[in-house]
Amino acid sequence: MTEVAFIGLGVMGYPMAGHLAAGGHQVTVYNRTAEKARAWVAEHGGRSAPTPREAAQGAKIVLSCVGNDDDLRSVVLGDDGILAGLSVGDVYVDHTTASAIVARELWALGRDQGVQVIDAPVSGGQAGAENGALTVMCGGEEAPFERAKPVIDCYARASTLMGPSGAGQLTKMVNQICIAGLVQGLAEGLNFGIKAGLDMDVLIDVISKGAAQSWQMDNRAATMCQGEFEFGFAVDWMRKDLDICLTEARANGARLPVAAVVDQFYAQIQSRGGRRWDTSSLMQLLAND
Ligand SMILES: NC(=O)c1ccc[n+]([C@@H]2O[C@H](COP(=O)([O-])OP(=O)(O)OC[C@H]3O[C@@H](n4cnc5c(N)ncnc54)[C@H](OP(=O)(O)O)[C@@H]3O)[C@@H](O)[C@H]2O)c1
């Protein structure tokens, strides 16, 4: 059993922290909206703290999952931030999908005070968090990764050290770049099938057994055909992630022509009121144009 703290009880963080409690760890939580922290403690036990600093104090491993780079800085830095509560030898693992820039910045600040920082974005969505089946992509040093891994594995199907600080975030960027193009291709194929008058249930059953099969096809194709986009990973989050990818690509010289255009499609979806629709809503643009 380890004393741990979890910062950020959102769609992902709430069930992730729940798996830590179920795994026998002594968990202290912090959430900006205190009501969620109270609800979490009522459900899982442990205790809540009024600031990230106080949550981190006394914890050997601190984990977080907030929104974006700015949110992350606001829970880590400053007098009430996570780093202010950590001591030499502690480990801090961040699960936010953020830039490699902020990951390296926090890693360097941690190093200056003897704290080891791991960037550890996740894949697997809300269902993965609830079922304890996330894929976790980590950046940092081997020793703190090995210390944190048994804790992370309470909610992970796989957790892998990809390289030095920032490597976890860079891996997640590849994941998002792959998804962007794949979902657009799937939407175009399905929309074509509908326009061609094919039986879509039979079509999905047939082609999902061949080379076009994908997680997106298995999990989203049927609902895309029905025009249901109310679950899964939100368009607002995807645009945040693609912005991170496009910024990184400008720095490393990689060309992302498809990701860039899909980002613009998602901008259109936002302007049609679909900010909280899930990423498979690319279909909606095709179906309605
Ligand atoms: N949802 C998914 O399917 C999914 C999948 C993979 C990765 N992710 C990534 O995981 C991260 C979290 O996603 P989510 O779906 O859990 O988001 P969410 O439900 O919106 O939760 C965000 C959490 O961060 C906290 N937060 C945001 N800004 C903050 C700030 N400035 N100061 C303090 N706390 C702040 C929120 O506190 P409040 O409760 O006070 O708002 C909440 O606890 C994101 O980076 C997302 O891209 C999400």
Side-chain angles (χ1 to χ4, degrees), residues 8-12 31-33 36 65-67 71 74-75 96-97 122 125-126 233 237 240:
L9 302 173
V11 165
M12 301 297 283
N31 195 66
R32 176 179 58 180
T33 307
K36 275 193 219 167
C65 189
V66 294
D71 301 333
S74 77
V75 295
T96 309
T97 302
V122 303
Q126 182 176 351
F233 188 63
W237 279 147
K240 182 255 302 179

mmCIF file with all atom_site columns, all heavy atoms in Angstrom, residues 8-12 31-33 36 65-67 71 74-75 96-97 122 125-126 233 237 240, ligand 1:
data_model
loop_
_atom_site.group_PDB
_atom_site.id
_atom_site.type_symbol
_atom_site.label_atom_id
_atom_site.label_alt_id
_atom_site.label_comp_id
_atom_site.label_asym_id
_atom_site.label_entity_id
_atom_site.label_seq_id
_atom_site.pdbx_PDB_ins_code
_atom_site.Cartn_x
_atom_site.Cartn_y
_atom_site.Cartn_z
_atom_site.occupancy
_atom_site.B_iso_or_equiv
_atom_site.pdbx_formal_charge
_atom_site.auth_seq_id
_atom_site.auth_comp_id
_atom_site.auth_asym_id
_atom_site.auth_atom_id
_atom_site.pdbx_PDB_model_num
ATOM   1   N N   . GLY A 1 8   ? -7.590  16.102 -9.790  1.00 0.00 ? 8   GLY A N   1
ATOM   2   C CA  . GLY A 1 8   ? -8.415  16.236 -10.995 1.00 0.00 ? 8   GLY A CA  1
ATOM   3   C C   . GLY A 1 8   ? -9.365  15.072 -11.156 1.00 0.00 ? 8   GLY A C   1
ATOM   4   O O   . GLY A 1 8   ? -9.016  14.038 -11.747 1.00 0.00 ? 8   GLY A O   1
ATOM   5   N N   . LEU A 1 9   ? -10.583 15.237 -10.628 1.00 0.00 ? 9   LEU A N   1
ATOM   6   C CA  . LEU A 1 9   ? -11.559 14.131 -10.644 1.00 0.00 ? 9   LEU A CA  1
ATOM   7   C C   . LEU A 1 9   ? -12.603 14.352 -11.732 1.00 0.00 ? 9   LEU A C   1
ATOM   8   O O   . LEU A 1 9   ? -13.797 14.439 -11.472 1.00 0.00 ? 9   LEU A O   1
ATOM   9   C CB  . LEU A 1 9   ? -12.225 14.022 -9.269  1.00 0.00 ? 9   LEU A CB  1
ATOM   10  C CG  . LEU A 1 9   ? -11.260 13.791 -8.094  1.00 0.00 ? 9   LEU A CG  1
ATOM   11  C CD1 . LEU A 1 9   ? -12.017 13.865 -6.771  1.00 0.00 ? 9   LEU A CD1 1
ATOM   12  C CD2 . LEU A 1 9   ? -10.540 12.444 -8.227  1.00 0.00 ? 9   LEU A CD2 1
ATOM   13  N N   . GLY A 1 10  ? -12.138 14.447 -12.972 1.00 0.00 ? 10  GLY A N   1
ATOM   14  C CA  . GLY A 1 10  ? -13.052 14.605 -14.101 1.00 0.00 ? 10  GLY A CA  1
ATOM   15  C C   . GLY A 1 10  ? -13.547 13.256 -14.592 1.00 0.00 ? 10  GLY A C   1
ATOM   16  O O   . GLY A 1 10  ? -13.509 12.240 -13.870 1.00 0.00 ? 10  GLY A O   1
ATOM   17  N N   . VAL A 1 11  ? -14.005 13.250 -15.827 1.00 0.00 ? 11  VAL A N   1
ATOM   18  C CA  . VAL A 1 11  ? -14.504 12.015 -16.450 1.00 0.00 ? 11  VAL A CA  1
ATOM   19  C C   . VAL A 1 11  ? -13.466 10.897 -16.322 1.00 0.00 ? 11  VAL A C   1
ATOM   20  O O   . VAL A 1 11  ? -13.803 9.745  -16.033 1.00 0.00 ? 11  VAL A O   1
ATOM   21  C CB  . VAL A 1 11  ? -14.829 12.289 -17.944 1.00 0.00 ? 11  VAL A CB  1
ATOM   22  C CG1 . VAL A 1 11  ? -15.006 11.008 -18.725 1.00 0.00 ? 11  VAL A CG1 1
ATOM   23  C CG2 . VAL A 1 11  ? -16.062 13.174 -18.043 1.00 0.00 ? 11  VAL A CG2 1
ATOM   24  N N   . MET A 1 12  ? -12.202 11.246 -16.499 1.00 0.00 ? 12  MET A N   1
ATOM   25  C CA  . MET A 1 12  ? -11.134 10.241 -16.433 1.00 0.00 ? 12  MET A CA  1
ATOM   26  C C   . MET A 1 12  ? -10.623 10.063 -15.006 1.00 0.00 ? 12  MET A C   1
ATOM   27  O O   . MET A 1 12  ? -10.476 8.943  -14.516 1.00 0.00 ? 12  MET A O   1
ATOM   28  C CB  . MET A 1 12  ? -9.965  10.661 -17.340 1.00 0.00 ? 12  MET A CB  1
ATOM   29  C CG  . MET A 1 12  ? -10.332 10.827 -18.801 1.00 0.00 ? 12  MET A CG  1
ATOM   30  S SD  . MET A 1 12  ? -10.895 9.304  -19.570 1.00 0.00 ? 12  MET A SD  1
ATOM   31  C CE  . MET A 1 12  ? -9.348  8.447  -19.808 1.00 0.00 ? 12  MET A CE  1
ATOM   32  N N   . ASN A 1 31  ? -9.957  18.238 -6.017  1.00 0.00 ? 31  ASN A N   1
ATOM   33  C CA  . ASN A 1 31  ? -10.618 18.681 -7.241  1.00 0.00 ? 31  ASN A CA  1
ATOM   34  C C   . ASN A 1 31  ? -11.005 20.146 -7.089  1.00 0.00 ? 31  ASN A C   1
ATOM   35  O O   . ASN A 1 31  ? -11.434 20.558 -6.010  1.00 0.00 ? 31  ASN A O   1
ATOM   36  C CB  . ASN A 1 31  ? -11.863 17.831 -7.536  1.00 0.00 ? 31  ASN A CB  1
ATOM   37  C CG  . ASN A 1 31  ? -12.334 18.021 -8.965  1.00 0.00 ? 31  ASN A CG  1
ATOM   38  O OD1 . ASN A 1 31  ? -11.632 17.646 -9.907  1.00 0.00 ? 31  ASN A OD1 1
ATOM   39  N ND2 . ASN A 1 31  ? -13.489 18.631 -9.144  1.00 0.00 ? 31  ASN A ND2 1
ATOM   40  N N   . ARG A 1 32  ? -10.822 20.913 -8.186  1.00 0.00 ? 32  ARG A N   1
ATOM   41  C CA  . ARG A 1 32  ? -11.131 22.359 -8.127  1.00 0.00 ? 32  ARG A CA  1
ATOM   42  C C   . ARG A 1 32  ? -12.563 22.587 -7.634  1.00 0.00 ? 32  ARG A C   1
ATOM   43  O O   . ARG A 1 32  ? -12.803 23.390 -6.747  1.00 0.00 ? 32  ARG A O   1
ATOM   44  C CB  . ARG A 1 32  ? -10.923 22.966 -9.517  1.00 0.00 ? 32  ARG A CB  1
ATOM   45  C CG  . ARG A 1 32  ? -11.294 24.430 -9.612  1.00 0.00 ? 32  ARG A CG  1
ATOM   46  C CD  . ARG A 1 32  ? -11.037 24.933 -11.001 1.00 0.00 ? 32  ARG A CD  1
ATOM   47  N NE  . ARG A 1 32  ? -11.779 24.173 -12.021 1.00 0.00 ? 32  ARG A NE  1
ATOM   48  C CZ  . ARG A 1 32  ? -11.720 24.415 -13.317 1.00 0.00 ? 32  ARG A CZ  1
ATOM   49  N NH1 . ARG A 1 32  ? -10.950 25.382 -13.769 1.00 0.00 ? 32  ARG A NH1 1
ATOM   50  N NH2 . ARG A 1 32  ? -12.427 23.690 -14.175 1.00 0.00 ? 32  ARG A NH2 1
ATOM   51  N N   . THR A 1 33  ? -13.512 21.864 -8.214  1.00 0.00 ? 33  THR A N   1
ATOM   52  C CA  . THR A 1 33  ? -14.889 21.918 -7.739  1.00 0.00 ? 33  THR A CA  1
ATOM   53  C C   . THR A 1 33  ? -15.012 20.919 -6.589  1.00 0.00 ? 33  THR A C   1
ATOM   54  O O   . THR A 1 33  ? -15.017 19.699 -6.813  1.00 0.00 ? 33  THR A O   1
ATOM   55  C CB  . THR A 1 33  ? -15.855 21.553 -8.892  1.00 0.00 ? 33  THR A CB  1
ATOM   56  O OG1 . THR A 1 33  ? -15.551 22.397 -10.001 1.00 0.00 ? 33  THR A OG1 1
ATOM   57  C CG2 . THR A 1 33  ? -17.310 21.741 -8.482  1.00 0.00 ? 33  THR A CG2 1
ATOM   58  N N   . LYS A 1 36  ? -17.190 17.523 -6.161  1.00 0.00 ? 36  LYS A N   1
ATOM   59  C CA  . LYS A 1 36  ? -16.805 16.230 -6.763  1.00 0.00 ? 36  LYS A CA  1
ATOM   60  C C   . LYS A 1 36  ? -15.873 15.459 -5.832  1.00 0.00 ? 36  LYS A C   1
ATOM   61  O O   . LYS A 1 36  ? -15.935 14.226 -5.761  1.00 0.00 ? 36  LYS A O   1
ATOM   62  C CB  . LYS A 1 36  ? -16.083 16.456 -8.092  1.00 0.00 ? 36  LYS A CB  1
ATOM   63  C CG  . LYS A 1 36  ? -17.001 16.626 -9.280  1.00 0.00 ? 36  LYS A CG  1
ATOM   64  C CD  . LYS A 1 36  ? -16.180 16.526 -10.577 1.00 0.00 ? 36  LYS A CD  1
ATOM   65  C CE  . LYS A 1 36  ? -16.660 17.532 -11.595 1.00 0.00 ? 36  LYS A CE  1
ATOM   66  N NZ  . LYS A 1 36  ? -15.727 17.688 -12.724 1.00 0.00 ? 36  LYS A NZ  1
ATOM   67  N N   . CYS A 1 65  ? -4.779  14.440 -13.488 1.00 0.00 ? 65  CYS A N   1
ATOM   68  C CA  . CYS A 1 65  ? -5.391  14.368 -14.815 1.00 0.00 ? 65  CYS A CA  1
ATOM   69  C C   . CYS A 1 65  ? -6.328  15.561 -14.944 1.00 0.00 ? 65  CYS A C   1
ATOM   70  O O   . CYS A 1 65  ? -7.463  15.511 -14.468 1.00 0.00 ? 65  CYS A O   1
ATOM   71  C CB  . CYS A 1 65  ? -6.145  13.047 -14.992 1.00 0.00 ? 65  CYS A CB  1
ATOM   72  S SG  . CYS A 1 65  ? -6.701  12.779 -16.694 1.00 0.00 ? 65  CYS A SG  1
ATOM   73  N N   . VAL A 1 66  ? -5.823  16.647 -15.529 1.00 0.00 ? 66  VAL A N   1
ATOM   74  C CA  . VAL A 1 66  ? -6.639  17.848 -15.729 1.00 0.00 ? 66  VAL A CA  1
ATOM   75  C C   . VAL A 1 66  ? -6.772  18.100 -17.239 1.00 0.00 ? 66  VAL A C   1
ATOM   76  O O   . VAL A 1 66  ? -6.564  17.182 -18.032 1.00 0.00 ? 66  VAL A O   1
ATOM   77  C CB  . VAL A 1 66  ? -6.069  19.047 -14.942 1.00 0.00 ? 66  VAL A CB  1
ATOM   78  C CG1 . VAL A 1 66  ? -6.182  18.788 -13.431 1.00 0.00 ? 66  VAL A CG1 1
ATOM   79  C CG2 . VAL A 1 66  ? -4.640  19.361 -15.313 1.00 0.00 ? 66  VAL A CG2 1
ATOM   80  N N   . GLY A 1 67  ? -7.138  19.329 -17.654 1.00 0.00 ? 67  GLY A N   1
ATOM   81  C CA  . GLY A 1 67  ? -7.521  19.535 -19.045 1.00 0.00 ? 67  GLY A CA  1
ATOM   82  C C   . GLY A 1 67  ? -6.384  19.751 -20.024 1.00 0.00 ? 67  GLY A C   1
ATOM   83  O O   . GLY A 1 67  ? -6.115  18.920 -20.895 1.00 0.00 ? 67  GLY A O   1
ATOM   84  N N   . ASP A 1 71  ? -4.182  24.465 -17.491 1.00 0.00 ? 71  ASP A N   1
ATOM   85  C CA  . ASP A 1 71  ? -4.776  23.846 -16.305 1.00 0.00 ? 71  ASP A CA  1
ATOM   86  C C   . ASP A 1 71  ? -3.698  23.124 -15.498 1.00 0.00 ? 71  ASP A C   1
ATOM   87  O O   . ASP A 1 71  ? -3.670  23.172 -14.268 1.00 0.00 ? 71  ASP A O   1
ATOM   88  C CB  . ASP A 1 71  ? -5.867  22.832 -16.701 1.00 0.00 ? 71  ASP A CB  1
ATOM   89  C CG  . ASP A 1 71  ? -6.975  23.485 -17.512 1.00 0.00 ? 71  ASP A CG  1
ATOM   90  O OD1 . ASP A 1 71  ? -7.196  24.701 -17.352 1.00 0.00 ? 71  ASP A OD1 1
ATOM   91  O OD2 . ASP A 1 71  ? -7.607  22.772 -18.317 1.00 0.00 ? 71  ASP A OD2 1
ATOM   92  N N   . SER A 1 74  ? -1.580  25.399 -13.586 1.00 0.00 ? 74  SER A N   1
ATOM   93  C CA  . SER A 1 74  ? -2.268  26.000 -12.441 1.00 0.00 ? 74  SER A CA  1
ATOM   94  C C   . SER A 1 74  ? -2.405  25.024 -11.265 1.00 0.00 ? 74  SER A C   1
ATOM   95  O O   . SER A 1 74  ? -2.532  25.469 -10.137 1.00 0.00 ? 74  SER A O   1
ATOM   96  C CB  . SER A 1 74  ? -3.619  26.598 -12.849 1.00 0.00 ? 74  SER A CB  1
ATOM   97  O OG  . SER A 1 74  ? -4.556  25.581 -13.019 1.00 0.00 ? 74  SER A OG  1
ATOM   98  N N   . VAL A 1 75  ? -2.349  23.713 -11.509 1.00 0.00 ? 75  VAL A N   1
ATOM   99  C CA  . VAL A 1 75  ? -2.393  22.797 -10.350 1.00 0.00 ? 75  VAL A CA  1
ATOM   100 C C   . VAL A 1 75  ? -0.995  22.389 -9.871  1.00 0.00 ? 75  VAL A C   1
ATOM   101 O O   . VAL A 1 75  ? -0.850  21.877 -8.764  1.00 0.00 ? 75  VAL A O   1
ATOM   102 C CB  . VAL A 1 75  ? -3.236  21.505 -10.603 1.00 0.00 ? 75  VAL A CB  1
ATOM   103 C CG1 . VAL A 1 75  ? -4.700  21.845 -10.810 1.00 0.00 ? 75  VAL A CG1 1
ATOM   104 C CG2 . VAL A 1 75  ? -2.691  20.661 -11.730 1.00 0.00 ? 75  VAL A CG2 1
ATOM   105 N N   . THR A 1 96  ? -2.559  14.105 -17.832 1.00 0.00 ? 96  THR A N   1
ATOM   106 C CA  . THR A 1 96  ? -3.200  15.050 -18.757 1.00 0.00 ? 96  THR A CA  1
ATOM   107 C C   . THR A 1 96  ? -2.634  14.871 -20.168 1.00 0.00 ? 96  THR A C   1
ATOM   108 O O   . THR A 1 96  ? -1.446  14.611 -20.324 1.00 0.00 ? 96  THR A O   1
ATOM   109 C CB  . THR A 1 96  ? -2.897  16.500 -18.286 1.00 0.00 ? 96  THR A CB  1
ATOM   110 O OG1 . THR A 1 96  ? -3.233  16.609 -16.908 1.00 0.00 ? 96  THR A OG1 1
ATOM   111 C CG2 . THR A 1 96  ? -3.640  17.527 -19.112 1.00 0.00 ? 96  THR A CG2 1
ATOM   112 N N   . THR A 1 97  ? -3.486  15.003 -21.195 1.00 0.00 ? 97  THR A N   1
ATOM   113 C CA  . THR A 1 97  ? -2.927  15.092 -22.545 1.00 0.00 ? 97  THR A CA  1
ATOM   114 C C   . THR A 1 97  ? -2.509  16.543 -22.741 1.00 0.00 ? 97  THR A C   1
ATOM   115 O O   . THR A 1 97  ? -3.349  17.440 -22.851 1.00 0.00 ? 97  THR A O   1
ATOM   116 C CB  . THR A 1 97  ? -3.969  14.713 -23.605 1.00 0.00 ? 97  THR A CB  1
ATOM   117 O OG1 . THR A 1 97  ? -4.445  13.390 -23.346 1.00 0.00 ? 97  THR A OG1 1
ATOM   118 C CG2 . THR A 1 97  ? -3.350  14.759 -24.999 1.00 0.00 ? 97  THR A CG2 1
ATOM   119 N N   . VAL A 1 122 ? -2.913  9.108  -21.427 1.00 0.00 ? 122 VAL A N   1
ATOM   120 C CA  . VAL A 1 122 ? -3.586  7.810  -21.522 1.00 0.00 ? 122 VAL A CA  1
ATOM   121 C C   . VAL A 1 122 ? -4.412  7.715  -22.801 1.00 0.00 ? 122 VAL A C   1
ATOM   122 O O   . VAL A 1 122 ? -4.804  8.715  -23.381 1.00 0.00 ? 122 VAL A O   1
ATOM   123 C CB  . VAL A 1 122 ? -4.503  7.572  -20.304 1.00 0.00 ? 122 VAL A CB  1
ATOM   124 C CG1 . VAL A 1 122 ? -3.714  7.674  -19.014 1.00 0.00 ? 122 VAL A CG1 1
ATOM   125 C CG2 . VAL A 1 122 ? -5.684  8.549  -20.280 1.00 0.00 ? 122 VAL A CG2 1
ATOM   126 N N   . GLY A 1 125 ? -10.124 6.120  -23.304 1.00 0.00 ? 125 GLY A N   1
ATOM   127 C CA  . GLY A 1 125 ? -11.368 6.844  -23.065 1.00 0.00 ? 125 GLY A CA  1
ATOM   128 C C   . GLY A 1 125 ? -12.003 6.581  -21.715 1.00 0.00 ? 125 GLY A C   1
ATOM   129 O O   . GLY A 1 125 ? -11.420 5.930  -20.838 1.00 0.00 ? 125 GLY A O   1
ATOM   130 N N   . GLN A 1 126 ? -13.222 7.091  -21.586 1.00 0.00 ? 126 GLN A N   1
ATOM   131 C CA  . GLN A 1 126 ? -13.966 6.972  -20.327 1.00 0.00 ? 126 GLN A CA  1
ATOM   132 C C   . GLN A 1 126 ? -14.158 5.509  -19.949 1.00 0.00 ? 126 GLN A C   1
ATOM   133 O O   . GLN A 1 126 ? -14.002 5.125  -18.787 1.00 0.00 ? 126 GLN A O   1
ATOM   134 C CB  . GLN A 1 126 ? -15.331 7.672  -20.486 1.00 0.00 ? 126 GLN A CB  1
ATOM   135 C CG  . GLN A 1 126 ? -16.167 7.663  -19.226 1.00 0.00 ? 126 GLN A CG  1
ATOM   136 C CD  . GLN A 1 126 ? -17.464 8.459  -19.396 1.00 0.00 ? 126 GLN A CD  1
ATOM   137 O OE1 . GLN A 1 126 ? -17.663 9.145  -20.400 1.00 0.00 ? 126 GLN A OE1 1
ATOM   138 N NE2 . GLN A 1 126 ? -18.326 8.376  -18.416 1.00 0.00 ? 126 GLN A NE2 1
ATOM   139 N N   . PHE A 1 233 ? -15.034 10.500 -26.802 1.00 0.00 ? 233 PHE A N   1
ATOM   140 C CA  . PHE A 1 233 ? -14.059 11.587 -26.643 1.00 0.00 ? 233 PHE A CA  1
ATOM   141 C C   . PHE A 1 233 ? -14.553 12.845 -27.365 1.00 0.00 ? 233 PHE A C   1
ATOM   142 O O   . PHE A 1 233 ? -14.810 12.818 -28.564 1.00 0.00 ? 233 PHE A O   1
ATOM   143 C CB  . PHE A 1 233 ? -12.731 11.089 -27.225 1.00 0.00 ? 233 PHE A CB  1
ATOM   144 C CG  . PHE A 1 233 ? -11.580 11.993 -26.981 1.00 0.00 ? 233 PHE A CG  1
ATOM   145 C CD1 . PHE A 1 233 ? -11.143 12.253 -25.684 1.00 0.00 ? 233 PHE A CD1 1
ATOM   146 C CD2 . PHE A 1 233 ? -10.920 12.582 -28.043 1.00 0.00 ? 233 PHE A CD2 1
ATOM   147 C CE1 . PHE A 1 233 ? -10.064 13.078 -25.464 1.00 0.00 ? 233 PHE A CE1 1
ATOM   148 C CE2 . PHE A 1 233 ? -9.835  13.414 -27.832 1.00 0.00 ? 233 PHE A CE2 1
ATOM   149 C CZ  . PHE A 1 233 ? -9.405  13.661 -26.536 1.00 0.00 ? 233 PHE A CZ  1
ATOM   150 N N   . TRP A 1 237 ? -11.930 18.358 -26.920 1.00 0.00 ? 237 TRP A N   1
ATOM   151 C CA  . TRP A 1 237 ? -10.664 17.749 -26.497 1.00 0.00 ? 237 TRP A CA  1
ATOM   152 C C   . TRP A 1 237 ? -9.806  17.403 -27.706 1.00 0.00 ? 237 TRP A C   1
ATOM   153 O O   . TRP A 1 237 ? -8.598  17.581 -27.703 1.00 0.00 ? 237 TRP A O   1
ATOM   154 C CB  . TRP A 1 237 ? -10.920 16.495 -25.670 1.00 0.00 ? 237 TRP A CB  1
ATOM   155 C CG  . TRP A 1 237 ? -11.252 16.672 -24.216 1.00 0.00 ? 237 TRP A CG  1
ATOM   156 C CD1 . TRP A 1 237 ? -12.088 15.873 -23.498 1.00 0.00 ? 237 TRP A CD1 1
ATOM   157 C CD2 . TRP A 1 237 ? -10.752 17.638 -23.290 1.00 0.00 ? 237 TRP A CD2 1
ATOM   158 N NE1 . TRP A 1 237 ? -12.143 16.300 -22.193 1.00 0.00 ? 237 TRP A NE1 1
ATOM   159 C CE2 . TRP A 1 237 ? -11.339 17.375 -22.027 1.00 0.00 ? 237 TRP A CE2 1
ATOM   160 C CE3 . TRP A 1 237 ? -9.870  18.710 -23.393 1.00 0.00 ? 237 TRP A CE3 1
ATOM   161 C CZ2 . TRP A 1 237 ? -11.075 18.137 -20.893 1.00 0.00 ? 237 TRP A CZ2 1
ATOM   162 C CZ3 . TRP A 1 237 ? -9.616  19.473 -22.259 1.00 0.00 ? 237 TRP A CZ3 1
ATOM   163 C CH2 . TRP A 1 237 ? -10.210 19.186 -21.039 1.00 0.00 ? 237 TRP A CH2 1
ATOM   164 N N   . LYS A 1 240 ? -8.064  20.378 -29.051 1.00 0.00 ? 240 LYS A N   1
ATOM   165 C CA  . LYS A 1 240 ? -6.930  20.700 -28.166 1.00 0.00 ? 240 LYS A CA  1
ATOM   166 C C   . LYS A 1 240 ? -5.745  19.799 -28.504 1.00 0.00 ? 240 LYS A C   1
ATOM   167 O O   . LYS A 1 240 ? -4.616  20.249 -28.658 1.00 0.00 ? 240 LYS A O   1
ATOM   168 C CB  . LYS A 1 240 ? -7.389  20.516 -26.712 1.00 0.00 ? 240 LYS A CB  1
ATOM   169 C CG  . LYS A 1 240 ? -6.364  20.839 -25.643 1.00 0.00 ? 240 LYS A CG  1
ATOM   170 C CD  . LYS A 1 240 ? -5.759  19.629 -24.983 1.00 0.00 ? 240 LYS A CD  1
ATOM   171 C CE  . LYS A 1 240 ? -6.715  18.682 -24.308 1.00 0.00 ? 240 LYS A CE  1
ATOM   172 N NZ  . LYS A 1 240 ? -6.056  17.520 -23.712 1.00 0.00 ? 240 LYS A NZ  1
HETATM 173 N N1  . LIG B 2 .   ? -12.440 11.866 -21.755 1.00 0.00 ? 1   LIG B N1  1
HETATM 174 C C1  . LIG B 2 .   ? -11.720 11.029 -22.501 1.00 0.00 ? 1   LIG B C1  1
HETATM 175 O O1  . LIG B 2 .   ? -12.259 10.144 -23.171 1.00 0.00 ? 1   LIG B O1  1
HETATM 176 C C2  . LIG B 2 .   ? -10.202 11.151 -22.535 1.00 0.00 ? 1   LIG B C2  1
HETATM 177 C C3  . LIG B 2 .   ? -9.458  10.124 -23.128 1.00 0.00 ? 1   LIG B C3  1
HETATM 178 C C4  . LIG B 2 .   ? -8.072  10.209 -23.150 1.00 0.00 ? 1   LIG B C4  1
HETATM 179 C C5  . LIG B 2 .   ? -7.454  11.332 -22.621 1.00 0.00 ? 1   LIG B C5  1
HETATM 180 N N2  . LIG B 2 .   ? -8.198  12.337 -22.066 1.00 0.00 ? 1   LIG B N2  1
HETATM 181 C C6  . LIG B 2 .   ? -7.480  13.516 -21.520 1.00 0.00 ? 1   LIG B C6  1
HETATM 182 O O2  . LIG B 2 .   ? -7.557  13.447 -20.108 1.00 0.00 ? 1   LIG B O2  1
HETATM 183 C C7  . LIG B 2 .   ? -7.611  14.784 -19.584 1.00 0.00 ? 1   LIG B C7  1
HETATM 184 C C8  . LIG B 2 .   ? -8.871  14.915 -18.719 1.00 0.00 ? 1   LIG B C8  1
HETATM 185 O O3  . LIG B 2 .   ? -10.021 14.626 -19.497 1.00 0.00 ? 1   LIG B O3  1
HETATM 186 P P1  . LIG B 2 .   ? -11.466 14.480 -18.821 1.00 0.00 ? 1   LIG B P1  1
HETATM 187 O O4  . LIG B 2 .   ? -12.348 13.931 -19.873 1.00 0.00 ? 1   LIG B O4  1
HETATM 188 O O5  . LIG B 2 .   ? -11.349 13.791 -17.517 1.00 0.00 ? 1   LIG B O5  1
HETATM 189 O O6  . LIG B 2 .   ? -11.842 16.027 -18.583 1.00 0.00 ? 1   LIG B O6  1
HETATM 190 P P2  . LIG B 2 .   ? -12.936 16.652 -17.644 1.00 0.00 ? 1   LIG B P2  1
HETATM 191 O O7  . LIG B 2 .   ? -14.024 15.684 -17.326 1.00 0.00 ? 1   LIG B O7  1
HETATM 192 O O8  . LIG B 2 .   ? -13.288 17.986 -18.207 1.00 0.00 ? 1   LIG B O8  1
HETATM 193 O O9  . LIG B 2 .   ? -12.140 16.887 -16.260 1.00 0.00 ? 1   LIG B O9  1
HETATM 194 C C9  . LIG B 2 .   ? -11.100 17.831 -16.165 1.00 0.00 ? 1   LIG B C9  1
HETATM 195 C C10 . LIG B 2 .   ? -10.598 17.844 -14.737 1.00 0.00 ? 1   LIG B C10 1
HETATM 196 O O10 . LIG B 2 .   ? -9.564  18.826 -14.627 1.00 0.00 ? 1   LIG B O10 1
HETATM 197 C C11 . LIG B 2 .   ? -9.930  19.788 -13.639 1.00 0.00 ? 1   LIG B C11 1
HETATM 198 N N3  . LIG B 2 .   ? -9.436  21.099 -14.054 1.00 0.00 ? 1   LIG B N3  1
HETATM 199 C C12 . LIG B 2 .   ? -9.538  21.642 -15.296 1.00 0.00 ? 1   LIG B C12 1
HETATM 200 N N4  . LIG B 2 .   ? -8.952  22.859 -15.296 1.00 0.00 ? 1   LIG B N4  1
HETATM 201 C C13 . LIG B 2 .   ? -8.480  23.060 -14.055 1.00 0.00 ? 1   LIG B C13 1
HETATM 202 C C14 . LIG B 2 .   ? -7.786  24.137 -13.447 1.00 0.00 ? 1   LIG B C14 1
HETATM 203 N N5  . LIG B 2 .   ? -7.444  25.230 -14.141 1.00 0.00 ? 1   LIG B N5  1
HETATM 204 N N6  . LIG B 2 .   ? -7.472  24.027 -12.144 1.00 0.00 ? 1   LIG B N6  1
HETATM 205 C C15 . LIG B 2 .   ? -7.812  22.919 -11.439 1.00 0.00 ? 1   LIG B C15 1
HETATM 206 N N7  . LIG B 2 .   ? -8.473  21.862 -11.957 1.00 0.00 ? 1   LIG B N7  1
HETATM 207 C C16 . LIG B 2 .   ? -8.802  21.951 -13.258 1.00 0.00 ? 1   LIG B C16 1
HETATM 208 C C17 . LIG B 2 .   ? -11.443 19.741 -13.590 1.00 0.00 ? 1   LIG B C17 1
HETATM 209 O O11 . LIG B 2 .   ? -11.907 20.267 -12.374 1.00 0.00 ? 1   LIG B O11 1
HETATM 210 P P3  . LIG B 2 .   ? -13.454 20.733 -12.223 1.00 0.00 ? 1   LIG B P3  1
HETATM 211 O O12 . LIG B 2 .   ? -14.215 19.504 -11.822 1.00 0.00 ? 1   LIG B O12 1
HETATM 212 O O13 . LIG B 2 .   ? -13.434 21.779 -11.163 1.00 0.00 ? 1   LIG B O13 1
HETATM 213 O O14 . LIG B 2 .   ? -13.893 21.295 -13.557 1.00 0.00 ? 1   LIG B O14 1
HETATM 214 C C18 . LIG B 2 .   ? -11.672 18.236 -13.727 1.00 0.00 ? 1   LIG B C18 1
HETATM 215 O O15 . LIG B 2 .   ? -11.400 17.572 -12.517 1.00 0.00 ? 1   LIG B O15 1
HETATM 216 C C19 . LIG B 2 .   ? -7.596  15.731 -20.794 1.00 0.00 ? 1   LIG B C19 1
HETATM 217 O O16 . LIG B 2 .   ? -6.290  16.165 -21.022 1.00 0.00 ? 1   LIG B O16 1
HETATM 218 C C20 . LIG B 2 .   ? -8.092  14.852 -21.925 1.00 0.00 ? 1   LIG B C20 1
HETATM 219 O O17 . LIG B 2 .   ? -7.615  15.283 -23.183 1.00 0.00 ? 1   LIG B O17 1
HETATM 220 C C21 . LIG B 2 .   ? -9.555  12.262 -21.996 1.00 0.00 ? 1   LIG B C21 1
#
